[in-house]
């Protein structure tokens, strides 16, 4: 099926209007047509970073698809554009689904990022839960956003003939890595998935369903890792309030 997905502009970032299960079709069609496709799953943090960095904004604008990860994206779509997005399409939900689809469609998966503990856990989990035995996992260390171009790693990925590459380096870094390395790596699909590999490996707990339904997933994550996440979420909250108050006056 060749289906065109509409997009809605949320604070200058085009968000693809789709559901989680639509992503299987998007990925499958790109692989069948051998079309290099880059995917981001922006949340409120991505939106804020895109206003602070023109480089990051241009990177997001270069991606083929941006899916609505966070509740604020759905809220802004409804309030600012009068568009009802059907649901969140989060990296955390997509990652296990992609593993399932890969198993049934014989896609070759690759992971970039996370840590050695997660890598070891996934070696045990992927064969048992998804019947995946040939997933490559690289853990590069990058200390500088300006040094993400990685010819050696790109060559390794290219040699592995990866269909779908999940990049878990955190907001901005993972999107910039995809922007600078995907085409040379010949990975058909590259998706920024944040902490999703840690969730999949059960090394980090995702917020319980009740927190997700109440839109308090961010609070659960702050409580789990306050030193790292509290400053980030405070900045995001201030940004959200600023946008809310600005648009309310218009």
């Amino acid at each position: 099926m060749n289906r065109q997905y509409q997009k809605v502009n949320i604070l200058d970032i085009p968000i693809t209007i789709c559901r989680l299960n639509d992503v299987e079709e998007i990925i499958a069609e790109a692989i069948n047509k051998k079309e290099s496709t880059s995917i981001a799953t922006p949340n409120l943090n991505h939106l804020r970073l895109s206003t602070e960095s023109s480089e990051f904004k241009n990177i997001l604008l270069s991606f083929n698809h941006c899916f609505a990860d966070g509740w604020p994206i759905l809220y802004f779509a409804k309030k600012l554009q009068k568009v009802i997005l059907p649901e969140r399409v989060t990296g955390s939900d997509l990652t296990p689904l992609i593993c399932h689809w890969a198993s049934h469609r014989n896609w070759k998966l690759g992971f970039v990022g996370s840590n050695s503990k997660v890598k070891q856990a996934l070696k045990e989990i992927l064969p048992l839960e998804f019947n995946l035995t040939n997933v490559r996992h690289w853990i590069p260390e990058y200390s500088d956003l300006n040094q993400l171009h990685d010819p050696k790693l790109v060559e390794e990925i290219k040699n592995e003939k990866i269909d779908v590459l999940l990049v878990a380096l955190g907001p901005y870094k993972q999107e910039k890595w995809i922007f600078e390395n995907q085409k040379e790596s010949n990975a058909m699909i590259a998706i920024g998935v944040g902490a999703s590999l840690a969730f999949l490996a059960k090394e980090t707990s995702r917020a319980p369903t009740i927190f997700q339904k109440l839109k308090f997933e961010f609070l659960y994550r702050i409580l789990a890792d306050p030193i790292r996440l509290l400053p980030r979420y405070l900045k995001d909250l201030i940004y959200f309030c600023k946008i809310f108050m600005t648009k309310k006056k218009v």
Side-chain angles (χ1 to χ4, degrees):
M1 182 188 299
N2 188 357
R3 177 179 170 188
Q4 294 295 319
Y5 290 90
Q6 294 184 324
K7 298 186 180 184
V8 57
N9 192 298
I10 307 298
L11 301 173
D12 297 330
I13 302 301
I15 302 296
T16 301
I17 302 173
C18 68
R19 294 183 176 276
L20 270 168
N21 287 331
D22 293 329
V23 180
E24 180 180 10
E25 177 190 53
I26 290 171
I27 292 175
E29 186 170 334
I31 290 175
N32 290 339
K33 291 183 175 181
K34 299 189 183 303
E35 295 177 345
S36 177
T37 299
S38 52
I39 297 172
T41 57
N43 53 29
L44 183 61
N45 184 246
H46 287 76
L47 291 186
R48 177 176 64 80
L49 291 174
S50 73
T51 65
E52 296 173 356
S53 167
S54 58
E55 178 194 54
F56 184 54
K57 181 177 180 179
N58 288 331
I59 287 172
L60 289 179
L61 290 174
S62 76
F63 274 43
N64 299 94
H65 293 284
C66 288
F67 299 140
D69 185 301
W71 291 110
I73 308 287
L74 275 67
Y75 175 84
F76 286 143
K78 181 179 179 180
K79 295 298 182 181
L80 304 182
Q81 301 289 6
K82 311 303 180 187
V83 173
I84 305 296
L85 294 178
E87 63 181 343
R88 292 195 304 158
V89 181
T90 74
S92 304
D93 289 321
L94 274 178
T95 298
L97 282 175
I98 288 171
C99 290
H100 173 73
W101 299 332
S103 177
H104 285 77
R105 289 179 175 266
N106 294 318
W107 295 337
K108 187 166 185 182
L109 292 186
F111 300 153
V112 174
S114 206
N115 57 56
S116 57
K117 193 174 182 182
V118 166
K119 181 177 180 178
Q120 184 57 43
L122 289 177
K123 278 185 178 180
E124 301 174 10
I125 289 171
L126 293 175
L128 291 174
E129 294 192 11
F130 302 99
N131 194 32
L132 289 172
T133 57
N134 189 27
V135 178
R136 289 298 315 271
H137 193 161
W138 296 271
I139 309 175
E141 293 186 7
Y142 303 112
S143 58
D144 191 332
L145 270 173
N146 295 316
Q147 296 178 350
L148 296 181
H149 185 60
D150 196 334
K152 182 180 178 181
L153 176 54
V154 163
E155 189 63 25
E156 290 184 27
I157 295 171
K158 186 175 181 179
N159 290 337
E160 290 293 333
K161 296 181 172 59
I162 299 296
D163 293 309
V164 183
L165 191 67
L166 305 185
V167 185
L169 298 172
Y172 199 148
K173 188 178 287 187
Q174 62 196 18
E175 286 80 23
K176 186 171 182 180
W177 190 96
I178 291 170
F179 179 77
E180 294 190 353
N181 297 283
Q182 180 190 3
K183 288 187 178 179
E184 289 182 42
S185 75
N186 283 353
M188 281 294 98
I189 312 293
I191 307 177
V193 296
S196 301
L197 295 185
F199 293 147
L200 186 66
K202 300 178 176 62
E203 291 298 320
T204 301
S205 297
R206 193 176 178 191
T209 304
I210 186 64
F211 277 78
Q212 297 179 42
K213 288 183 176 180
L214 292 173
K215 303 178 177 60
F216 288 155
E217 191 169 3
F218 74 96
L219 181 59
Y220 182 88
R221 293 196 66 193
I222 288 174
L223 293 173
D225 191 358
I227 294 176
R228 184 174 68 89
L229 292 179
L230 182 57
R232 169 182 143 182
Y233 280 114
L234 280 176
K235 290 179 181 178
D236 290 347
L237 179 60
I238 292 170
Y239 170 74
F240 178 86
C241 292
K242 180 181 177 181
I243 296 298
F244 176 81
M245 294 306 296
T246 301
K247 299 301 179 181
K248 190 175 181 181
K249 293 176 182 178
V250 175

